[in-house]
Amino acid sequence: MDIASVIVDVPAKQTDREFDYRIPEKWKQVIMPGMRVIVPFGPRMVQGFVIRLKDESEFSKLRYIKEPMDLEPILNDELLQLGNWLTKEAMCFKISALQAMLPAAMKAKYEKVIHVIEDRKDRLPPIIQPFFARNASLSWKEVIDGEHASLFQKELQNRNLELVYNVKNRLNKKTVRVIQSLLSIDELKAMASGLSAQAKKQQELLQYFMEHQELIPLKELLEVTHASSSTVKSLVSKGALAELDQEIYRDPYENRVFEPSNPFTLTDEQAAALKPIQEKIHLDEHDVFLLYGVTGSGKTEVYLQAIASVIEKGEEAIMLVPEISLTPQTVKRFKERFGEQVAVMHSGLSVGEKYDEWRKIHRKEVKVVVGARSAVFAPFENLGLIIIDEEHESSYKQEETPRYHARDVAIERAKSYRCPVILGSATPTLESFARAKKNVYKLLTLSRRMNEKALPAVDIVDMREELRTGNRSMFSELLFSKLKDRLERGQQTVLMLNKRGHSSFVMCRSCGLVINCPNCDISLTYHRFNDIMKCHYCGFEEGMPPVCPECESEHIRFFGTGTQKVEEELAKILPEARVIRMDVDTTSKKGSHERLLNAFGEGKADILLGTQMIAKGLDFPNITLVGVLSADTMLHLPDFRSSEKTFQLLTQVSGRAGRHQLPGEVVIQTYTPEHYSIELSALQDYEAFYEREMDLRRKSHYPPYFYVVLITVSHEDLMKAVSVTEKITHYLGSRLNRDSIILGPVASPISRINNRYRYQCLIKYKREPDLNRHLRTLLEHYQKETAQNHLQITIDLNPQIMM
Ligand code: ADP
Ligand code: ZN
Ligand code: ZN
């Protein structure tokens, strides 16, 4: 077959289809579907994915593929198919869907260069000839930044120069220098006897290779023989040894030893949960299970044993864990059970490390991948199981193109491999629990904690009361006394500051001015560390003003309770307490997250203070108190899921206490103690919460009763943003069913980001078989304007973030 159909890397409406290319003779046996190639496209060279091979094309004048980028397919047939599904599901271009499945390292970058066409250097005008004195090519930047751009342009037209798109493949495989002996033992002996007596080091090296035949890394060789690298070099030049670069994997866990662990004997509940899963595994049947069990009820052990069955069958498993609970503790449990058969993928790894893990999967060297969202695309070919732990986490939804939800991708892949999916959570999403109740998903319940300990006792403290009785501190009397008590007993406390939707802003006490970002309608966040104010949306930053820019009062300061402020307060009221603070500022460096947690686990601090990120995956025996400083900050966000998210977070963080022998206690401080999401999380009563919240969702026409689509329009010109949103609303209004609801156009909750005004409309519907088509028509209609980036239209199907 001489023709390849290629999806080119030009994300646009007109190019969102396959293009046919002829395969050059020399690549005929090489190029296969699922490989990337470089192809000419218009005047330039672009990257593309080979989708299929064929003998004939309906087009007669075909251009040739320039060269392959891979020597083996990087996407298998199933993933190519999945690309079609994803394109529809996420309403994106096919190329975006395909790219999303690759590890970051493979998403090539282009480097534009200007190149002299062979033998034509003499024809160039004298002014630009010197540019090519040393090299045949010149970077694009040098050309356009210089003063002779038009001259270059003319020579391009004269075809003396050409524009080349070099695809930079930043794979940078990591290699290690190794040394190999090229001679037999007898030859080595002969050479050694021929050397002068002074060449002692060379003698020793030859001696080493007489005793060891295998390759050895240069570094090691120098260590064991105490030779220098110049000694090695001289033997290389004599033809006795060879130096090679051997590719190695960057193993992020290379210096760690994992003690093998054995499966536990399951409790009756665990066994009852595992059985139907194993049945599906053995029958090669697809199904979706919802494993509903409080924290510490032994869900992970069920996952581990289900995976063991899959491996035994010769198949593979994907284990998804939210980024933030992908802690070393979590990884350890999988490595201990499955050893070298586990690959790990999360954002804490460098691009190169991620690529190495990906290759282990691709080359079938591992059977299990434990990873965050994008690991759902792991290029396995015999999938036997996909598990999504903490399925309620909103991070499973990708918030940029393609906007996919890992749960949907998992189910789609599991269908084509006819294998089960397990969704696990102590606080499932309403959508999933409703499906389980209707038996669309099979409900499996673990109702008891492993240690048979009651869930921790929870106290709710009304902070308005505290204020009334004259306590102006951010710690209630109750929380303070319990903190002191733990300190005396040498037990540990976790303090969570619920930071979402609430951060330290700068306000003038005299006139009330709050300092906002000049580009976005949002207040700047104060960072004590370097005394600056920062915008979390556009990155704008500036120093703290000495006086109020409005009234020139000196009483301008930052408000709100950032973790730093809590830390200072702790130092005042409990000076003897050792505190570890975990937030974006202290964990931005690679590995710092892990270091801080380890330190806490080793008892190097009494209090772990942090944001949401400490709510998950912590499992230390000495934690007996959990304090939540501000439970309700999230409740007031303009999001129909705010109660659900509050309930989930409070339940999660409460589960951190008393997981082992010592009983745990929880103190939740709030200004709205009567809110059902707070009351019911204190009782750890998921099902009561579910009933309450479902009732509200039904009355207000929100998921799971209705589907939701959020359309956000942004433009530098406010009137344009408004009018486009109006037109979209009108267009859909006249086409959708009468029982569908369109809210809008209204300004988005964050009405301006980066100087672009944002307007939105929200569609709620039960059944709209043509909605996808209508939305595509809309996107096509505005294609010209959006391509030039003046206008932005984002369509979020089933949005997780309503801002
Ligand atoms: P979850 O994933 O639901 O939070 P885990 O699987 O982490 O719960 O289990 C909680 C604790 O109980 C862990 O320390 C785990 O090692 C232990 N455990 C789980 N299953 C068993 C079992 N069948 N027998 C003994 N210990 C178990
Ligand atoms: Zn002022
Ligand atoms: Zn901003």
Side-chain angles (χ1 to χ4, degrees), residues 183-328:
L183 306 178
S184 67
I185 297 180
D186 288 341
E187 286 169 325
L188 286 169
K189 278 187 186 148
M191 183 171 215
S193 59
L195 286 172
S196 76
Q198 281 97 311
K200 238 175 119 201
K201 285 288 165 199
Q202 292 190 31
Q203 296 276 13
E204 280 172 30
L205 268 178
L206 293 174
Q207 186 64 36
Y208 174 88
F209 282 102
M210 288 177 217
E211 290 156 21
H212 305 86
Q213 297 299 291
E214 61 282 355
L215 294 173
I216 177 169
L218 175 63
K219 213 170 133 225
E220 235 173 90
L221 179 67
L222 299 184
E223 268 169 30
V224 295
T225 62
H226 304 289
S228 68
S229 51
S230 61
T231 319
V232 175
K233 283 246 154 39
S234 62
L235 284 177
V236 169
S237 62
K238 287 177 184 163
L241 304 180
E243 286 185 296
L244 311 167
D245 286 323
Q246 197 177 51
E247 195 184 317
I248 53 159
Y249 290 132
R250 284 150 286 209
D251 182 353
Y253 299 94
E254 70 187 333
N255 294 323
R256 255 167 278 171
V257 185
F258 294 99
E259 293 289 321
S261 78
N262 289 319
F264 287 108
T265 310
L266 296 182
T267 62
D268 291 349
E269 271 194 331
Q270 284 175 317
L274 182 61
K275 194 161 162 275
I277 299 170
Q278 279 176 331
E279 273 169 17
K280 291 292 169 183
I281 292 172
H282 290 128
L283 289 171
D284 276 321
E285 275 178 16
H286 170 67
D287 213 337
V288 182
F289 295 96
L290 177 62
L291 182 59
Y292 160 55
V294 292
T295 43
S297 61
K299 295 189 291 299
T300 309
E301 186 61 30
V302 174
Y303 303 149
L304 288 166
Q305 299 202 17
I307 294 172
S309 307
V310 167
I311 294 179
E312 208 169 289
K313 214 179 145 212
E315 295 180 343
E316 299 129 357
I318 296 176
M319 172 82 215
L320 297 187
V321 178
E323 189 66 62
I324 126 176
S325 26
L326 200 50
T327 59

Side-chain angles (χ1 to χ4, degrees), residues 508 510-513 548 550-553:
C508 169
S510 306
C511 74
L513 172 88
C548 170
E550 192 70 28
C551 74
E552 300 192 346
S553 155

Side-chain angles (χ1 to χ4, degrees), residues 516-524 534-541 752-755:
N516 275 343
C517 172
N519 312 317
C520 313
D521 278 340
I522 196 107
S523 57
L524 292 175
K534 219 174 178 169
C535 171
H536 281 264
Y537 285 88
C538 73
F540 173 88
E541 56 180 64
R752 191 173 50 128
I753 292 182
N754 226 344
N755 282 323

